[in-house]
C-alpha cells in the first residue's frame, strides 16, 4: 500500500515539473517574439504638416520664415505676374529640396487658389495629406500624396 502512494506522488511530481517546463517555454517564446515595427514603412514619407512646419519655421536663426519671405515678395510686387513667377520658382526649389514625391503648393486667399508649385498629377492622387498656414493676408496650402 505504501508503494502505491509513493509512485502516485512521483508521477504527480513528474507531471507538475513537466507542466512548469511547458509553461516556462511558452512564456519564454512569447517574450522573445519580436514586436512588429511598422514605422519602417513611413520613415521616408513626409506629411504636409511636417513640411509646412519647416516652411513656417525660422530661416537660419533669423526672424524671417520662408512663408514670410514669399509673402513679402508677393506684397512688394503687388501680386504681379513676375512676383508670382519668382515665388513659384523659389517655392518649387524649396519643396524639391525636401524630396517630396508629389505635392501641390498654392495660395488660397489673395491669389484665389493660384498653384505656385506642383509635382505629380493631382487628379490621380489618392490619400492626399493637406496642411494650411496663414501669413498676413496670404493663406498657403500644401497637398502631399
Amino acid at each position: 500500500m505504501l508503494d502505491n502512494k509513493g509512485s502516485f506522488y512521483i508521477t504527480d511530481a513528474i507531471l507538475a515539473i513537466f507542466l512548469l517546463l511547458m509553461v516556462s517555454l511558452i512564456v519564454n517564446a512569447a517574450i522573445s517574439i519580436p514586436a512588429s515595427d511598422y514605422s519602417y514603412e513611413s520613415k521616408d514619407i513626409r506629411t504636409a504638416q511636417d513640411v509646412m512646419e519647416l516652411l513656417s519655421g525660422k530661416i537660419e536663426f533669423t526672424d524671417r520664415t520662408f512663408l514670410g519671405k514669399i509673402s513679402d515678395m508677393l506684397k512688394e510686387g503687388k501680386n504681379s505676374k513676375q512676383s508670382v513667377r519668382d515665388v513659384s520658382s523659389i517655392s518649387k526649389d524649396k519643396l524639391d529640396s525636401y524630396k517630396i514625391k508629389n505635392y501641390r503648393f498654392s495660395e488660397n486667399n489673395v491669389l484665389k487658389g493660384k498653384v505656385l508649385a506642383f509635382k505629380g498629377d493631382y487628379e490621380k492622387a489618392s490619400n492626399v495629406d493637406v496642411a494650411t498656414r496663414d501669413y498676413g493676408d496670404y493663406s498657403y496650402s500644401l497637398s502631399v500624396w
Side-chain angles (χ1 to χ4, degrees), residues 45-62:
I45 298 172
R46 293 193 186 262
T47 63
Q49 292 292 339
D50 294 337
V51 175
M52 273 302 222
E53 286 298 317
L54 292 171
L55 295 177
S56 60
K58 300 198 176 187
I59 301 172
E60 298 173 5
F61 303 106
T62 63

Side-chain angles (χ1 to χ4, degrees), residues 5 8 10 12 29 35 38 41 60 62 70 74 79 86 103-104 107 118 135 143 145:
K5 280 187 176 180
F8 175 72
I10 290 174
D12 191 35
Y38 298 109
E41 296 174 2
E60 298 173 5
T62 63
I70 63 174
L74 289 170
N79 304 319
D86 293 341
Y103 63 84
R104 184 173 78 169
E107 197 290 321
F118 70 94
Y135 189 90
S143 303
W145 65 97

Side-chain angles (χ1 to χ4, degrees), residues 22-42:
M22 292 302 293
V23 168
S24 66
L25 287 174
I26 291 171
V27 169
N28 189 25
I31 290 172
S32 65
I33 294 175
S36 298
D37 185 19
Y38 298 109
S39 64
Y40 73 91
E41 296 174 2
S42 63

Side-chain angles (χ1 to χ4, degrees), residues 45-105:
I45 298 172
R46 293 193 186 262
T47 63
Q49 292 292 339
D50 294 337
V51 175
M52 273 302 222
E53 286 298 317
L54 292 171
L55 295 177
S56 60
K58 300 198 176 187
I59 301 172
E60 298 173 5
F61 303 106
T62 63
D63 286 338
R64 292 189 49 92
T65 64
F66 180 78
L67 295 180
K69 179 181 174 182
I70 63 174
S71 296
D72 291 344
M73 289 175 67
L74 289 170
K75 191 173 185 178
E76 289 169 5
K78 297 181 181 171
N79 304 319
S80 66
K81 288 182 180 180
Q82 183 60 41
S83 66
V84 171
R85 269 186 252 143
D86 293 341
V87 166
S88 294
S89 175
I90 66 169
S91 296
K92 181 158 180 50
D93 292 342
K94 184 72 163 180
L95 291 168
D96 285 344
S97 73
Y98 294 136
K99 304 208 181 334
I100 306 168
K101 188 175 180 181
N102 297 304
Y103 63 84
R104 184 173 78 169
F105 183 63

